[in-house]
Amino acid sequence: MNQTEERKREHVQISLKENVSAHHNYWDDVHLIHNALPEINENDIDLSTRLFGKKLCAPLVISGMTGGYPEGKKINEHLAAVASTFQIGMGVGSQRAALENQKLSETYSIIKQYDIPLKIANIGASQMVLWDKKQILENAEKMIAMIDADVLAVCLNFLQEAIQPEGEAHAKGCLATIEMLSREFSRPVIIKESGAGISGKIAHQLKKTKICGIDVGGAGGTSFSAVEYYRAKLKGDTPNMRAGQTFWDWGIPTPTCILDVGKATNWELPIIATGGIRHGLDIAKALVLGASAAGMAHVLLKPALKDKKTLNQELEVITRELRIAMFLVGVDTVEKLSTVEVKYGPTN
């Protein structure tokens, strides 16, 4: 197992064994106002929605978690099975490993065996900026073909790249690369953060490109700085343990990202709310604030590693929680959630 494969394996194992969450989950600061007279029947609630032209049976995307090392194949297969069962979206982890070693492509391409309505390919921006234009477009096509993806996500994971010892913190030319790819690539391109969030200012810059959506990936859930802290601890690497601790809670809260990105883009781009989503109530909160869908990762990782049945049961609970939340605020469609009264801010 090479260094890249070992690192991906360590990321998953640490996420399962250690508390790598931010010290505060900002979804606890979002309060939906109870409707004592909902005037709807719970059984009539419709969870379906459309995202990037695809129909989903619930406004949920399984965020890209893994791939690129042997055990990642089983995790992605289990995730793909439930994504097919529940007809929700699914992304995979960065596909760079498979571009470098074709033998690893099956850890991602396994999801092609399942009927998933929305599949999202994934590459880190810090790797992409090192390629020339021809390589970017050719590799983008390879990643799409690898999983029959509908959309390509360019991941802005500069916090993790800066913290990890072998990270590649290359950001110069990133916006120009995104602009070129979004304009010339044959498939839709979205921008995805991975735990530090996207501000209104950056969203305004991105809106000038041809991207088709933003996954805000805000703070409040898994801290990749925390993950790197534990990797450094395993190796007795004191300086990088220090950096991991220092930036553990770095980032923009996910609810704030939704509001700022929506305002900066005039709510014209679909927003995926990823970062700290734990259950169906958090999904409802995200949609009330203006997101088009929510993305979940860490909550699904442990059951995904176990078996499909356990993961299926988790998704059943999550979708039921979303349905209950919609009933309690008195809306019977996902679109109507944006009309619900909400308060955002810490309570005394």
Side-chain angles (χ1 to χ4, degrees):
M1 186 177 289
N2 64 30
Q3 187 183 57
T4 300
E5 292 176 65
E6 184 61 32
R7 183 171 69 247
K8 287 176 175 288
R9 188 167 180 265
E10 288 175 353
H11 285 164
V12 170
Q13 289 183 332
I14 288 169
S15 296
L16 288 167
K17 294 178 181 178
E18 306 288 353
N19 180 5
V20 293
S21 296
H23 290 104
H24 181 68
N25 190 306
Y26 297 95
W27 291 111
D28 291 334
D29 299 331
V30 180
H31 309 282
L32 303 184
I33 306 305
H34 176 63
N35 184 342
L37 286 172
E39 291 292 339
I40 58 172
N41 296 325
E42 185 182 341
N43 291 340
D44 294 333
I45 292 173
D46 181 6
L47 300 184
S48 68
T49 191
R50 297 190 71 84
L51 185 63
F52 308 128
K54 303 295 182 177
K55 182 181 178 181
L56 306 181
C57 288
L60 179 61
V61 175
I62 298 174
S63 297
M65 281 181 258
T66 192
Y69 77 108
E71 295 98 317
K73 179 179 178 180
K74 180 176 78 170
I75 296 173
N76 276 334
E77 181 174 12
H78 291 170
L79 292 169
V82 297
S84 175
T85 298
F86 287 85
Q87 286 292 284
I88 56 177
M90 178 183 172
V92 294
S94 171
Q95 293 166 264
R96 174 192 178 190
L99 294 176
E100 296 175 349
N101 180 359
Q102 194 173 357
K103 292 179 181 179
L104 296 172
S105 63
E106 66 176 6
T107 66
Y108 304 95
S109 62
I110 185 67
I111 79 168
K112 290 201 291 188
Q113 297 181 19
Y114 295 87
D115 175 29
I116 303 168
L118 174 66
K119 297 188 289 293
I120 303 174
N122 185 353
I123 186 64
S126 56
Q127 285 82 52
M128 196 173 63
V129 294
L130 299 178
W131 303 331
D132 60 32
K133 179 179 175 180
K134 182 180 178 183
Q135 285 177 304
I136 291 171
L137 293 173
E138 287 179 350
N139 284 337
E141 291 287 1
K142 289 177 183 177
M143 290 182 286
I144 290 290
M146 195 182 300
I147 63 169
D148 284 343
D150 305 287
V151 175
L152 172 64
V154 176
C155 186
L156 309 179
N157 61 335
F158 293 116
L159 170 62
Q160 185 177 15
E161 295 288 1
I163 297 294
Q164 69 182 23
E166 64 277 64
E168 297 177 338
H170 309 300
K172 189 175 182 178
C174 187
L175 183 60
T177 299
I178 290 169
E179 196 283 325
M180 181 280 294
L181 183 66
S182 67
R183 176 170 31 86
E184 299 197 22
F185 190 46
S186 59
R187 296 292 179 93
V189 174
I190 67 172
I191 300 304
K192 170 182 172 58
E193 239 288 354
S194 57
I198 293 179
S199 67
K201 179 181 178 181
I202 299 305
H204 183 71
Q205 290 178 293
L206 290 170
K207 187 176 183 291
K208 296 176 183 178
T209 71
K210 299 293 184 181
I211 64 165
C212 69
I214 295 177
D215 182 336
V216 297
T222 299
S223 164
F224 283 100
S225 186
V227 173
E228 294 304 332
Y229 162 81
Y230 284 109
R231 284 190 69 224
K233 187 176 181 180
L234 286 171
K235 297 171 174 56
D237 182 350
T238 304
N240 281 303
M241 285 175 63
R242 165 76 178 268
Q245 283 183 312
T246 300
F247 292 93
W248 191 298
D249 291 310
W250 178 269
I252 309 166
T254 308
T256 300
C257 289
I258 297 170
L259 296 171
D260 290 352
V261 169
K263 183 178 179 181
T265 60
N266 296 318
W267 301 99
E268 292 173 2
L269 289 175
I271 296 171
I272 301 175
T274 304
I277 301 286
R278 300 158 294 186
H279 41 58
L281 176 55
D282 286 344
I283 296 173
K285 291 177 178 180
L287 271 65
V288 169
L289 290 181
S292 301
M296 300 185 84
H298 189 267
V299 170
L300 303 177
L301 181 57
K302 189 174 182 178
L305 197 60
K306 188 175 181 182
D307 54 47
K308 296 175 186 176
K309 180 181 178 181
T310 304
L311 188 57
N312 199 80
Q313 290 171 340
E314 180 67 26
L315 263 296
E316 284 181 351
V317 172
I318 288 167
T319 52
R320 180 169 182 261
E321 290 168 338
L322 173 58
R323 190 180 298 276
I324 292 171
M326 290 174 66
F327 178 64
L328 294 177
V329 295
V331 296
D332 55 6
T333 67
V334 168
E335 290 72 22
K336 292 177 184 176
L337 276 168
S338 62
T339 67
V340 169
E341 188 177 1
V342 60
K343 292 183 179 179
Y344 175 33
T347 56
N348 295 324

